[in-house]
Each structure stands twice: as structure tokens, then as C-alpha cells.
Amino acid sequence: MISKIFSILSLSYLLLFSSTAFSQVEVRENQLVVDGTKQPQLFGAELQYFRLRGGYGMNVPRAKVIALWNKALDRLVEAKMNAISFYIPWDFHEYAEGKFDFTGTADTDGDGNPDYPARDLVTFFKLVKAHGITRIMVRPGPYINAEWGFLGFGAVPKWFHDKFPNSHMRTPYGQRSRLYDYANPDLLRYSALWFKALHEQVLNEQMGPGKPIIFLQLDNETNYQWQPLYAHDYSASTISRYQKFLSNEYGDIGKLNESHDRQWDRWNQVQPPSYQGRNIPEDQAWYRFADTTIYNFLSNIRNIWSQVGVREPQVLFTLAESYNAPVNGLLPNFVLRNARGVTGLQTVNLYPKTEEKADHPLLNFPFKADLDVKAADEANDTYFGSRQEWVMGPEIQGGWWKGIDVTKESRQQTYLSVIGHGLKAFFIYYFNEGQNWDVEWTHEQVKPLYDGLIRERRLDNIEVTKLPEDFWNELQARSDRKILVGFDVRRIMKLGAHNDDELFFDSPLDGLANPRNHFFNLKEIGEQVIAPHQDFLARSLEVHDDVALIMDSTSHQPGPDANIPSVQATADWTGGLLGYMMNADINPRIIHGDLSNESSFLEAKVLVHLDTGLNAPRTLKMIENSLFAGKTVINFLASEVPKSQGIDLPSIVLFERGQSTNPAELTFYLNAKGQLQSAGKPNTKAYKIQSSNPVYSYDLNSSQGKDCVGILYWQDKIVGYRCKRTNGSIVQIGALIFEDYNSSDYAKMTQPLERKLFMKGLIDEAGVLTKLQLSKNAERVVAFARHDPEQKVLWITVKTGTQKSQAIDLKVSAELLLSSLKKSIRYSVKDLLSKKTLILTGADLTQKGFGINLGPNGSAVYVVSQVN
């Protein structure tokens, strides 16, 4: 199919660009290198030229548009940003089939004035260059989301929708959804024409040695628009592809029937599941099919660009991914997204504050930034083909919708966290607000249905706000059936055709490019944190302890235990587990069971894993090899890992997920050395901690439990145990004792110090000495570091989730100080934001530490360097 698409590209066009000089964009020695020159930390913003139009309608004076662009670019430079990204919306520039405007000169209404001067992409590139910005990421779709276009997201043109009405995905009931079928040949064919025109008329002049475009994003957030997989796609062509997918995977329909507990006679009888939970093997197959569909789509988009004439290493192809999804949704697959030479580099889109609550939490996901950056860093090695610490963030939260308070403290924590973990290129999103596009379309489609139903039910004299519920239900049903599924007809009719003309996101710049207070907070970080240290940040490496947290893309699929929802467990709960470890002074490396080299497993003394009950065979094999090498494995929740090692202990669910009950209060025991002990041991002290559901208990009174002892209890039930193996040991904890670390409840969770003691007891037995140590009174405080041995600099990020001020101490291990053998050598410890500096000896840093004062929800960055 793709070869047919590419037939539209003339041979002469391909030959034209075969001799073009290509630039070289690559990552070497943990640093971005362009045309042989090492690049600094990239700090930029998504500046959307197409939104800064000076007004919603047509014929805005060109001078007004140019002035807005310059004003916004001035602010970007003022914040010490050195990079820029922007979508290039297909529907904005191809205003009719085959008619493109990249110079802002099209005049379709014939009044002698350009319709939209903001279409002048050629001039926008010139202004970017004039402002000294030489590093650009372009994001031309075909899909861009961006709350843009007649569907409320996308940028696929209206004329395409009208010409190919069957290009949309279908619900299980046969209705068209707002999403386009990723495998639709018309979508791919016209995307190729769009890319060809864009490249030929604009982008080619901006690519090559000394030219600014170094990143090209393939599509955007390709994830079924964060919708459940059971909402679509059920078109006849998709079901046919699903049947072929299963045929390729199973080979024989008898094997499929055996796996799925079905009795299909032929492949063309097989139907996909329409809701989750009825048949788990079918759910898992449907999930894998959706994953593969996205993989194929991204591969097709990259192939189109290749045929147009754009290939790596002329640019670095990137993706834009958010590691979150709704219940029954699709998480980005670290294996398929990072397919070297096939898709693009997986990146991090990050929005840790998206919901407001009565107590106004700092963040809804306090450790999402930490998890997502560390996970992407490890996975990206597959794409680079070697170990490289380099991660990009195309969208780092610059605001949110009305009613959500993204405070200065929450923004600062997010930005300092991603910098501290090594996000070496990131862009604030949205940087500016402005006008939306074609917002009246939905009202125009719904209004005739509304008027017809009003007449039909004789409700002409009833105000729209007083119409009965059954009226709205019927109107919604008609809209879903006759237009597209998913439009909120009540909102559309109550608010009118132009309620959404203007985008509001509480961004650093408003729709007139005027700065909000958020801008000046961002500027402070640019001026004081990033710009003076951009070279160090570009080449430095994160400091990890001898602990690894295992992730596994196979675990994204629906698992066998309904108490462990796979999407929530692998994204949110794993973030909570990471936060729990960091609260105990442990900064683990994240490794992927289905991707990472075996050496990554063997380098760690302790492996920690959240077990959903579904793991890749390779993950289980790597754990087995690590145990044989004498490592400690700490496994939470499901028991597939211990079972794979021959420890199959009888267990029951004490408290199910969703069960209405107070948190389970668990007990553990420590001796005077802080070591975990079984109940009943002499000279121990009992501690209490609470757990979310689920909670499992285990019966150790079996032959397989002879080498196992209890270490965590609910009343007289064992909910955590340790088993000695030939060389290593397995710890199984059947309690969700870490969920609230990565939730809105982080600030008010109970027993933070007791939980810290339990985690330290688990880790310390393996002989792990953490490289940073906070004082014992530190409550909901974490610290993590980066270093560059050549420059003898240590970068330490500290943050807290408490709503009170804290005074604590932080000790640095001797191995992090290059001159640690000479304890009298002096070091400066500089707080980059307060600009305060301490002078301490190496002995002071390693034995006493230095004092830190954090305000409510505070965060800080310290640079430790040797005094000459």
C-alpha cells in the first residue's frame, strides 16, 4: 500500500534532493551533536505562530500579526531559551484540496486583503533566525491535537473529512468517531501530499548544514486520543486486519481457540472484544493489535518523510508520548515506540497537575516527572543503539485549563525535577495562547438537529437551560448517529458557536503575547539555573544508587488479576513506588525487562518490581539470572515473579481493590540495627503503616515456604515475606503501601517516617549505601544528583511535598567527591535560586552534611564544586 502512496512523488523530485547536503544530528557520549558541534542543554518553548493571529476572524492586518510574533519571540529570548518548537497545522495551510498558503497571501474572499497573514510560515522562520534561535523542532502532523480544528483536535482538514467520510474509526455500534483510522489509505495518501508540499515550499530551505531544523516529530500523541480501546476501531477493514494479525500471531485457528477459549471455525468469523473483562486473552490480543497498529502508522509516516527526502541523521525523528492513559486505554509501548530506524525517538510529554481538589494539592502525580524521564532515558538506548543518557520533552506543562491551579511551586518542582533527572531538551507547552480554528463547525452541525427536535417536541418557548433531560439524551443520540460520536451537544448549544474562539491555558504568555507571572518564574529558572550551567547539564549523568526499578511494556496489557488494573499500576503506582524509594534516600535506575541489557540487571544489588501478574518472559529470565548472581529481588503485589522461581505459596486476597474499607493497618518489626525481623523475635520494636487495596496474605506453612519468613503482617496474617535462594533472596510484599506517594494525597498521607523505615529495612539488608542521605526528620523530602567528573561538579535537586517549612541536613557520600581522600579540601555549595553559598570541607559534607531550608512545597537546586 505504501509503495502506491509514494508513486505520487515524482522521480525528478526525489533526484532533486538526493544531492542535497545533509546535516548530521546525533547523540554521542550522552550529548546532542549537530554537524560535529556539541550542543548545550536545550531549553525552549512551543510557540504557536498560527494562534497569534491578532483575532479570530479573517483579514487581520499583517503588521499586527508580525508584531505579535516578534513580541512572543522577544519573551522567549528574554527567558534565556535557546530552542523553539511549533506545530504546522495541515488544515491551516492547505485551505482547500491542493491549495497551499505558506506566505500568508491567499485571498479567497477576493477583497484584496490576505485571509490570514499568520499563514506566513516563511516569514516566521526568518523572525526566529533574527532572534538568534538556531535549534528548531517542527511538528507537522498529520495529527497535532493542540485543541485545534473543527473536531476540537487534529488538523486534518475539513475538506478531507467531507471527501472521505469513511476515513474515521468506528465504534462497536458502527458509528463514526472523531478519530481517523490509522491505516486508512486515503489519510496516508493525502498526508504524503501535505508533507511533500510543506517540504518543497518551506522546510527544505531550513534543513541541512548550518540550518535550524534538527528535530522532526512524527504525528503527535498517537494513542487513540486517550480513549478506551473498546470505543473504537470496529470498522470492517480494521476487523479484517485484526483477523490477519491473529492469524499471523497464532498460525492455526485451533491454537487461537485454545488460548481464547473459543470455537471459531474460520479466521473471518473472529470478532474483537467490545468491553474489557469478559475474556482476558482476547483483551490482551486486542491491546497488542492496537499497539501494532500505532507502530505501523508511525512507520508509515516516517517512510513518507523518507520518500519526500528527509531521513536521519539529517534530522532526528521524534515522537510525542504521554505515559498515562484512561482505564482500558493504551500506554506507549517502550519496545515498539523506540524501534530504531522504523519509528522515532520516544520522548516525554508531562502534565503532573490536571485536576483540582478541595485541598489544592501541589501535583496530582508528584513523581510522574521522575518516573517518565528515567523510564524514557533507559528505553531510548534501544533507539540510539548504545548507552546514551539523553531524553527530550516536547511538552512540559506550562499551564492548564480554567479552574486548575498550577502554582509557582508546582511548576518549579516540575521543571527542576526534569532538569535534575536529565531531560536534556525540553519545551514549555503551551508558551502562548491565542485563537482556535473552525470552532463554529460543531455548532453548525448540531444546530439543525437541535432545531428539528425542538419543533418535533414543541419546545419552542423553552429556554435552552431549562430543556428536559430526555431532550438532551435524544439530541446526543442523534448527533452520535448522524455526525460523529463524542460531541457534547448540551455544551455546544448552551455556549454558542464562538465560545471557544480563544484558547485559555494559563500559559506564560496570553493571546496577545503579554506575560503572566508564570513567565517571570520561568525566566528566573532560565537565567539562574539553566543558562549559566547549560554545558554541564548537556553532558552530565544522573547519580544512581545500586538499586534498579524494573518496568515491562508487557504489563501494560490487561492482566489476570482484576485487583491490579494494568494501566494504573504500571504508570501511576510505579510512580508511587519510585517516590516511596526516593523518600527513603534511594535513587534507583529504571530498567526495562523487555529491553535493557543483562548487564543493567547485574550492576544493581537490589531489583525492585511491581508485578501485575503479566510479565515478559525475558523479564522473568533476567530476574532469574540476577538471583543466581546473588542479587536481592523485591516484588510487590502479584506473585508471578516468585512463582517463576518455584515459590508458589498459597495466598488469598484480604482486601480487594475498590472494597469500601479503611486502609489496612500493617505491622513490621525492626531490631536495634534497623533490620526487619519476624513477629515474635526478641528485642524488636513494632511499627505501623497503612496500605491501600489490594492486600494479599500468604501461607508459609507449606514445603515451598520452608526457607521463607514473614516480615510484614496484618493482624496474624503474613502479607510480606522473605525467601532465601541458593545465592540471592526474594522478598514478596502483597500490599499497596506506596500508591499515595504519586497521588493528590501525597501531602496528607500518614506515617511517612515509618514507611521510610520499612523501605530502608528492605534495602539495607543487601548492603546498599545510598549516595545522598537526608536527616531522619526529613518528611516527604527527596534529593537526587547529577555529576560531571571532568568538571568536579555535583548538581543536587531537593524537593518536598509537605505544606510546611522544613529545616534538614543532607550528607554526600565520599565517592561523589573526587578529592574525598583529602577531607580538608573546601567545597562551595551554592543554592542557585536563593544565590546563597556555603563553604564546607569534604569532611563536613560527608559527615555532617549541609543545611537546607525548604518552604511549603519547596524545591531547590544546589551546585557543589571544589574551591580553587
Side-chain angles (χ1 to χ4, degrees):
M1 177 182 67
I2 294 300
S3 61
K4 295 179 180 178
I5 294 171
F6 296 148
S7 65
I8 63 173
L9 303 171
S10 67
L11 178 61
S12 61
Y13 182 77
L14 293 175
L15 291 174
L16 173 64
F17 294 108
S18 65
S19 59
T20 301
F22 288 160
S23 57
Q24 187 89 2
V25 182
E26 56 190 331
V27 173
R28 295 200 314 255
E29 298 178 349
N30 308 296
Q31 193 164 358
L32 180 69
V33 179
V34 179
D35 296 334
T37 301
K38 292 182 178 180
Q39 301 297 301
Q41 166 80 40
L42 298 191
F43 173 46
E46 169 81 11
L47 201 162
Q48 296 185 349
Y49 67 92
F50 50 89
R51 275 207 157 92
L52 292 173
R53 304 200 301 274
Y56 184 78
M58 300 172 69
N59 306 132
V60 174
R62 173 182 172 82
K64 185 176 183 179
V65 173
I66 299 300
L68 281 174
W69 287 356
N70 276 315
K71 189 176 178 181
L73 288 166
D74 287 343
R75 290 298 186 182
L76 188 147
V77 173
E78 182 183 346
K80 300 298 181 184
M81 292 180 173
N82 58 6
I84 189 172
S85 70
F86 44 87
Y87 293 123
I88 305 177
W90 179 6
D91 58 349
F92 188 55
H93 290 284
E94 190 175 1
Y95 56 91
E97 182 181 352
K99 296 182 178 179
F100 300 90
D101 182 9
F102 296 111
T103 57
T105 55
D107 179 19
T108 59
D109 59 2
D111 66 350
N113 297 308
D115 295 343
Y116 294 100
R119 286 174 172 154
D120 190 355
L121 182 57
V122 173
T123 293
F124 184 71
F125 270 105
K126 293 177 180 177
L127 294 178
V128 170
K129 181 180 180 180
H131 281 78
I133 303 166
T134 59
R135 306 168 187 93
I136 297 177
M137 174 170 66
V138 291
R139 311 208 284 168
Y143 167 82
I144 69 166
N145 194 354
E147 291 70 46
W148 176 265
F150 74 105
L151 294 178
F153 60 84
V156 178
K158 278 192 305 185
W159 59 259
F160 180 88
H161 161 84
D162 294 336
K163 184 170 184 174
F164 302 105
N166 291 321
S167 59
H168 289 267
M169 295 184 186
R170 298 275 177 171
T171 72
Y173 308 102
Q175 300 161 320
R176 294 186 304 163
S177 81
R178 291 191 291 168
L179 279 70
Y180 290 94
D181 179 359
Y182 293 133
N184 180 264
D186 296 314
L187 177 65
L188 294 171
R189 180 161 54 95
Y190 278 84
S191 294
L193 292 170
W194 156 239
F195 293 159
K196 176 180 180 294
L198 175 61
H199 182 251
E200 185 175 21
Q201 297 182 43
V202 183
L203 299 188
N204 182 55
E205 291 298 318
Q206 307 297 329
M207 294 178 175
K211 300 296 179 66
I213 294 178
I214 55 177
F215 307 121
L216 192 154
Q217 182 178 296
L218 306 176
D219 203 58
N220 185 61
E221 296 172 324
T222 316
N223 59 9
Y224 294 88
Q225 187 61 25
W226 295 281
Q227 295 182 27
L229 293 179
Y230 304 90
H232 38 71
D233 181 14
Y234 293 86
S235 66
S237 61
T238 299
I239 292 175
S240 177
R241 286 190 294 107
Y242 175 64
Q243 293 164 346
K244 184 176 180 180
F245 170 82
L246 292 176
S247 176
N248 291 336
E249 191 171 80
Y250 287 93
D252 180 78
I253 199 161
K255 293 180 180 179
L256 172 72
N257 287 332
E258 181 180 356
S259 174
H260 291 193
D261 192 24
R262 290 289 193 176
Q263 295 181 344
W264 307 112
D265 294 323
R266 299 181 306 277
W267 288 110
N268 61 11
Q269 289 181 330
V270 178
Q271 294 296 308
S274 57
Y275 62 89
Q276 184 170 315
R278 179 174 57 187
N279 187 312
I280 295 301
E282 284 188 351
D283 292 333
Q284 293 170 350
W286 186 234
Y287 194 103
R288 293 193 302 275
F289 171 70
D291 245 350
T292 304
T293 296
I294 289 176
Y295 167 84
N296 289 333
F297 174 69
L298 293 172
S299 175
N300 286 338
I301 294 300
R302 176 164 173 160
N303 284 338
I304 292 172
W305 277 113
S306 178
Q307 293 296 323
V308 164
V310 181
R311 304 176 182 87
E312 289 186 345
Q314 176 187 9
V315 296
L316 180 62
F317 286 121
T318 64
L319 309 178
E321 302 290 354
S322 296
Y323 194 65
N324 56 277
V327 175
N328 303 339
L330 186 81
L331 287 171
N333 186 306
F334 288 105
V335 178
L336 296 180
R337 294 295 197 281
N338 264 321
R340 181 173 170 81
V342 180
T343 57
L345 178 72
Q346 186 162 342
T347 61
V348 176
N349 282 7
L350 189 63
Y351 297 93
K353 180 64 184 287
T354 59
E355 182 182 358
E356 201 54 84
K357 293 182 177 291
D359 57 349
H360 297 282
L362 175 72
L363 299 167
N364 304 122
F365 302 99
F367 288 93
K368 182 169 181 56
D370 311 77
L371 177 74
D372 291 8
V373 174
K374 290 164 76 74
D377 170 45
E378 179 71 15
N380 287 355
D381 293 352
T382 303
Y383 192 83
F384 294 132
S386 62
R387 176 61 188 152
Q388 302 290 339
E389 188 172 313
W390 197 88
V391 192
M392 169 189 279
E395 297 183 19
I396 305 302
Q397 185 165 18
W400 201 249
W401 313 118
K402 290 180 180 179
I404 309 300
D405 186 16
V406 188
T407 64
K408 173 186 176 181
E409 292 79 10
S410 63
R411 293 168 193 255
Q412 180 170 303
Q413 278 213 16
T414 298
Y415 304 150
L416 296 188
S417 294
V418 299
I419 295 167
H421 287 301
L423 197 65
K424 295 185 176 181
F426 71 95
F427 301 84
I428 304 301
Y429 187 96
Y430 294 93
F431 186 60
N432 65 280
E433 297 166 356
Q435 291 74 49
N436 292 319
W437 185 249
D438 279 342
V439 300
E440 62 277 1
W441 184 86
T442 52
H443 188 274
E444 292 171 354
Q445 306 306 305
V446 174
K447 185 67 162 57
L449 300 180
Y450 173 88
D451 291 341
L453 190 57
I454 287 286
R455 291 192 299 270
E456 183 180 317
R457 297 200 174 183
R458 300 180 180 180
L459 298 172
D460 305 71
N461 297 322
I462 304 297
E463 294 181 17
V464 65
T465 57
K466 296 180 180 179
L467 288 167
E469 190 68 22
D470 66 325
F471 171 88
W472 293 113
N473 291 339
E474 176 59 25
L475 182 61
Q476 187 67 60
R478 293 186 184 187
S479 174
D480 290 346
R481 186 170 62 253
K482 296 183 179 181
I483 307 174
L484 295 169
V485 169
F487 290 123
D488 185 346
V489 296
R490 189 192 308 244
R491 180 182 184 277
I492 290 168
M493 297 311 302
K494 285 185 176 181
L495 298 182
H498 289 279
N499 180 74
D500 295 324
D501 285 3
E502 298 284 330
L503 172 79
F504 175 84
F505 199 73
D506 198 18
S507 300
L509 304 185
D510 66 16
L512 295 175
N514 295 316
R516 294 192 173 96
N517 287 337
H518 310 315
F519 169 79
F520 298 102
N521 304 147
L522 199 61
K523 178 183 175 182
E524 180 184 31
I525 291 175
E527 289 179 333
Q528 296 178 211
V529 176
I530 299 176
H533 306 279
Q534 59 182 0
D535 293 327
F536 165 82
L537 291 171
R539 63 177 177 268
S540 60
L541 303 174
E542 184 163 10
V543 175
H544 298 110
D545 293 307
D546 296 329
V547 181
L549 175 59
I550 303 172
M551 296 181 70
D552 184 343
S553 291
T554 299
S555 299
H556 297 173
Q557 300 176 41
D561 189 339
N563 288 295
I564 308 176
S566 58
V567 169
Q568 184 180 6
T570 51
D572 303 343
W573 294 359
T574 301
L577 180 52
L578 174 62
Y580 182 24
M581 297 168 71
M582 294 180 71
N583 268 264
D585 298 340
I586 303 156
N587 186 26
R589 178 178 174 181
I590 287 181
I591 56 179
H592 296 274
D594 41 6
L595 274 179
S596 298
N597 292 329
E598 185 171 5
S599 59
S600 300
F601 290 80
L602 299 179
E603 288 168 1
K605 292 181 179 179
V606 179
L607 301 175
V608 182
H609 181 47
L610 192 160
D611 192 343
T612 67
L614 182 66
N615 299 283
R618 187 179 186 275
T619 299
L620 299 177
K621 182 62 178 176
M622 292 296 101
I623 289 174
E624 179 181 354
N625 293 348
S626 299
L627 284 168
F628 185 77
K631 311 298 181 179
T632 296
V633 175
I634 303 173
N635 194 65
F636 285 90
L637 297 183
S639 298
E640 188 180 32
V641 166
K643 287 178 181 178
S644 71
Q645 305 307 313
I647 305 173
D648 190 3
L649 299 178
S651 66
I652 62 171
V653 182
L654 290 175
F655 301 101
E656 294 185 348
R657 187 69 181 170
Q659 181 176 338
S660 180
T661 181
N662 292 325
E665 188 168 71
L666 310 179
T667 305
F668 67 94
Y669 302 87
L670 296 178
N671 62 18
K673 296 181 179 180
Q675 298 169 327
L676 287 167
Q677 302 294 308
S678 297
K681 290 272 187 165
N683 303 316
T684 61
K685 182 178 178 180
Y687 295 87
K688 301 289 186 181
I689 57 175
Q690 291 184 340
S691 174
S692 306
N693 297 338
V695 177
Y696 303 82
S697 72
Y698 309 96
D699 181 3
L700 303 188
N701 296 317
S702 68
S703 59
Q704 294 187 35
K706 64 179 180 178
D707 295 322
C708 304
V709 295
I711 57 172
L712 185 63
Y713 303 85
W714 178 75
Q715 298 180 2
D716 62 343
K717 306 290 187 183
I718 295 173
V719 298
Y721 62 84
R722 180 194 299 114
C723 297
K724 292 292 184 182
R725 310 309 289 160
T726 304
N727 297 315
S729 63
I730 292 182
V731 176
Q732 175 67 27
I733 306 296
L736 186 55
I737 57 178
F738 46 80
E739 178 183 13
D740 37 12
Y741 283 87
N742 194 36
S743 77
S744 299
D745 296 328
Y746 179 47
K748 59 185 180 183
M749 73 178 191
T750 61
Q751 305 152 322
L753 299 180
E754 290 82 357
R755 296 194 208 200
K756 183 192 298 188
L757 288 174
F758 182 70
M759 176 55 76
K760 281 182 172 290
L762 291 174
I763 297 293
D764 288 352
E765 184 176 319
V768 174
L769 298 176
T770 58
K771 296 179 175 65
L772 297 178
Q773 296 179 4
L774 290 159
S775 49
K776 293 182 179 179
N777 67 318
E779 183 179 325
R780 299 178 186 85
V781 182
V782 302
F784 47 99
R786 307 188 63 72
H787 67 166
D788 179 0
E790 292 181 2
Q791 295 296 319
K792 300 183 180 180
V793 172
L794 187 64
W795 178 286
I796 301 175
T797 306
V798 185
K799 60 180 180 178
T800 179
T802 59
Q803 297 175 356
K804 63 181 181 180
S805 298
Q806 291 192 72
I808 55 178
D809 294 319
L810 175 64
K811 291 192 294 186
V812 178
S813 71
E815 68 178 281
L816 291 181
L817 302 177
L818 295 183
S819 51
S820 58
L821 295 178
K822 299 178 182 179
K823 301 294 186 181
S824 61
I825 286 182
R826 296 190 305 158
Y827 294 85
S828 71
V829 181
K830 183 177 181 180
D831 183 333
L832 295 186
L833 290 174
S834 74
K835 300 182 180 180
K836 295 178 180 178
T837 301
L838 299 172
I839 303 296
L840 299 171
T841 65
D844 291 334
L845 284 170
T846 58
Q847 296 170 19
K848 299 177 183 179
F850 63 93
I852 296 173
N853 292 295
L854 290 173
N857 295 321
S859 55
V861 174
Y862 297 89
V863 171
V864 181
S865 58
Q866 185 175 325
V867 177
N868 294 326

